[in-house]
Amino acid sequence: MTYMSTTGRWFAVALLAVGTGCDLEVSNPGPVQDDFLNDSGAHAALVAGIEMSVARGFSMVGFFGADAAKEYTQGGRIHPIKLTPNPGQLDLDEQLPDNAWNDAHEARWVAEDGVRRLMENVSSFDSSPLAARALLYSGYTNRLLGENMCDAVIDGDEMQDRTVHLERAESWFTDAIAVAEAAGEADLVTAAYAGRASVRLWLAKNDEAVADAMQVPVDFEYRLEFGLADDQHYNWIQYVSSNTPYRLHSVWNTYYEDYYLSTGDPRVAWGTDPDVPTAEFAYVPWYFQLKYPELDSPMNLSSGREMVLIRAEAALRSGDRDGAMDLINSLRTGIADDTGTPIPLWTASNATEAWTALKRERGIELWLETRRLGDLWRWVENDVPGEMEDVSDRIRLCFPVGRIELETNPNIPLDYRGPVNPLFTG
Amino acid sequence: MLEVRDRYFLTGGVRVDGSSAFGKDFGLEVYPKVSASYVISDEPFWPESFGDVKLRAAYGFAGRAPGAFDAVRTWEAQSFRDQTAFEPDNVGNPDLGPERTGELEVGFDGAFLDQRLTLDFTYYHQTTTNALLNVGQTPSLGFGGNQLENVGKLRNTGFEIGAEYTVLNRPNVTWRLGTDISTNDSEILDMGGVVDYDFVEGQPIGLQRGARITNPDELADPIYELDAFLGPTEPTHTIGLNTTFQLPRGITVSARGEYVAGHWGRDFSSNLMAQRTGLGALGCDHVYQIIPHDGSYEGPGDDHPNLDQVRAKDRALCFTNSRADAWNLPKDFAALREVSVQAPVPFAVPGVESAFVTGSVQNLFRWVNSEFYSHDPESTGSGAQITNLTGGQITDHVPAPATATVSVRVTF
């Protein structure tokens, strides 16, 4: 009798396995695979993921944009994600504001991909509350991009005018209204009208903007929620401006510093700490914002009060100064400082002063909500009269295409430099 | 293996790899290799005085598979406001396959001067195709971060020399000198059309990019060349030296040092310290004697009465507005790695066959090039992982400690 050696036996087994065509394919266990998100059981987490991405996108745009829009002053640079070395400058040569570009674009993509996935996998898409939320956030993320980015880049494609995002937002909000109505989600319907009103104002569709704004009660608010499980989920306006110990922001040396001192308007409240008098930079007094007292304080995405200002701006565009001033001052009536003294109303003896009132009131009402930079840009671009912050020291009033986008997207010209603020004087 | 006349050797082999990490279009990968050696000094024509020499050459292929989930699009489940939330994780690439490296090695091993000099020399030339590199993804496509991709072609060449020479060989005294020299020159030959910030055709495989200060020594504000290709993140040459003295009474004294050069790295830690008022960066003390780091001067573009005494590079690096990408510095250094003395215990111990006492000092001395501000280029935080060839960033200033040890080795 002859015996096969141990090596020989293993060789024979291997030969048999290969020769008989054993199926050697392995399904990888581990991270959540893409197909899993098509399952109905995953859809709630899919939409929660959209909201998480949206929160991150708004946080980053707010973090960098508020500095550029002079809603606060840079007070430090110690946090690993830093404001730019040249405070307030959205400089193409800096990689730092890339976080805003990247996170805002991821938020848009996640929201729109969520809509696509739900559309393909939910038979009741047209009346699905989850679909309504996904549509609404697709609108808000496109509004965020349209208001804050100098150029539109969608899915790695070529650059387009930024209004493409706003038109896209308008379309998503329209879809959200229909689906939310069918789903019986009244707040989502109102939020979608509010969102659409804001982008229609940008697109100079005055009558339609006003019609949408009229659908929104003055006391309505639709808020973006933040989380506490990870610092990526925080409201970064609060996180990095507080003594954690970053103190990166200060209201010092802004319009809102003086305005709050003179009026006590609680909408732009800020405070001081005698034990910590300066921000991280020793030469910057630390005047911390009080709008967002907690790490997860929500941020308004839309409000009925913003709708009043939309109506006021539309009125100013059509030459109705008194009507506009009534609307603007209606927001101030009933607001008092902490002693109970009402804040003063705006007065305007001409159109320019009325525009000044509108510009200031929008800044106050929408303070630190990612909206100011876009407002400044469109007013400069359209040569709108009235006073606002002096932006002649700002290279640009929008985020240029991000560095990583430039480096990885072959459709962006290599010599892209981004638009320069026409008022920039160096 | 084939052997002829104990002089000619030929070895061949083949390896077959399959992996579930490969994309769907990849089957089994075959990696053949062949090597040959020739003891030329055994030939009749070789003069005995030329010593012993073996010539060798090898050519073969090896592969590296991607990670288990690199080919798959995945999402990460997070907790957001007490509910599960999915966010993009890995964009995935169904076409992902292994990278393949072909390497030619030629060299010789020799012993000369009556075995007093041994010398090994190897030249290598590697070409990697379908190289697996972590390529940055386009943010507007939704999945940020990096994705392992098979891109283009890489080249690595260099040589390695090992030599030892017995300088003195007396009955009670021996002195040996040794050296190890290695070089590496890498280049990305082709990116296959992929555009990436860290991987650029014609540049080293690990590339340090950043703001180059073109007027470092001028008493003026710095002028930057942004995104300059500064150099590789891995050393291009390393020279090791060692020596050993064997003295009477069984005493051995040895020392080992190393010179490492050609690589660049970002001192992120110093950058943070510079940006923080009142703290300041290591290596900037001489600058702070002129302008205190108290916020009275923020950096280039700002003014200060003593500014005309501060050179451009110091203005760029030492103050609160310092650019992170200007803190990319050459990391050339030399270090005395170890000095040790070993001696036998000078008295007999019953039952003990032998006993030695060894005293050694590690990291006793370090020389750092003058362009590097901090004290130790080796105090890196993140090394070069196989999928992250842009390592070398210093995230902590904790150097390798200088240590002294005494040990006793006893054999029973």
Side-chain angles (χ1 to χ4, degrees), chain B residues 261-277:
Chain B
H263 56 320
W264 289 67
R266 177 171 298 182
D267 190 347
F268 186 62
S269 189
S270 282
N271 173 233
L272 281 182
M273 293 164 74
Q275 290 174 343
R276 196 154 191 198
T277 306

Side-chain angles (χ1 to χ4, degrees), chain A residues 29 77 82 226 283 403 407, chain B residues 69 81 195 227 275 298:
Chain A
R77 302 197 71 231
K82 292 178 173 39
F226 296 91
Y283 59 92
R403 291 295 304 270
E407 291 155 6
Chain B
F69 298 103
R81 299 188 62 78
V195 180
D227 284 339
Q275 290 174 343
E298 297 171 52

Side-chain angles (χ1 to χ4, degrees), chain A residues 48-76:
Chain A
I50 292 172
E51 290 169 348
M52 183 172 67
S53 292
V54 173
R56 176 81 179 152
F58 272 77
S59 260
M60 282 296 107
V61 172
F63 174 51
F64 289 103
D67 186 25
K70 300 193 172 184
E71 291 180 289
Y72 55 61
T73 298
Q74 182 173 339

Side-chain angles (χ1 to χ4, degrees), chain B residues 241-363:
Chain B
L241 289 172
N242 63 78
T243 186
T244 303
F245 294 93
Q246 287 179 324
L247 303 171
R249 299 177 185 277
I251 297 171
T252 302
V253 178
S254 62
R256 182 169 56 87
E258 193 174 42
Y259 171 68
V260 182
H263 56 320
W264 289 67
R266 177 171 298 182
D267 190 347
F268 186 62
S269 189
S270 282
N271 173 233
L272 281 182
M273 293 164 74
Q275 290 174 343
R276 196 154 191 198
T277 306
L279 195 58
L282 293 173
C284 288
D285 289 345
H286 65 289
V287 185
Y288 301 147
Q289 300 292 321
I290 303 168
I291 297 180
H293 193 251
D294 58 3
S296 58
Y297 173 73
E298 297 171 52
D302 202 359
D303 204 4
H304 191 280
N306 297 340
L307 194 58
D308 58 1
Q309 301 171 50
V310 179
R311 65 187 193 126
K313 186 166 183 178
D314 295 330
R315 295 184 196 187
L317 298 187
C318 295
F319 296 97
T320 50
N321 279 348
S322 78
R323 298 177 61 98
D325 59 355
W327 272 99
N328 294 307
L329 306 169
K331 292 168 75 175
D332 302 8
F333 72 95
L336 183 55
R337 297 291 192 195
E338 184 173 67
V339 177
S340 68
V341 179
Q342 178 181 287
V345 173
F347 49 85
V349 179
V352 171
E353 187 178 314
S354 66
F356 289 90
V357 177
T358 304
S360 65
V361 184
Q362 287 86 26
N363 299 316

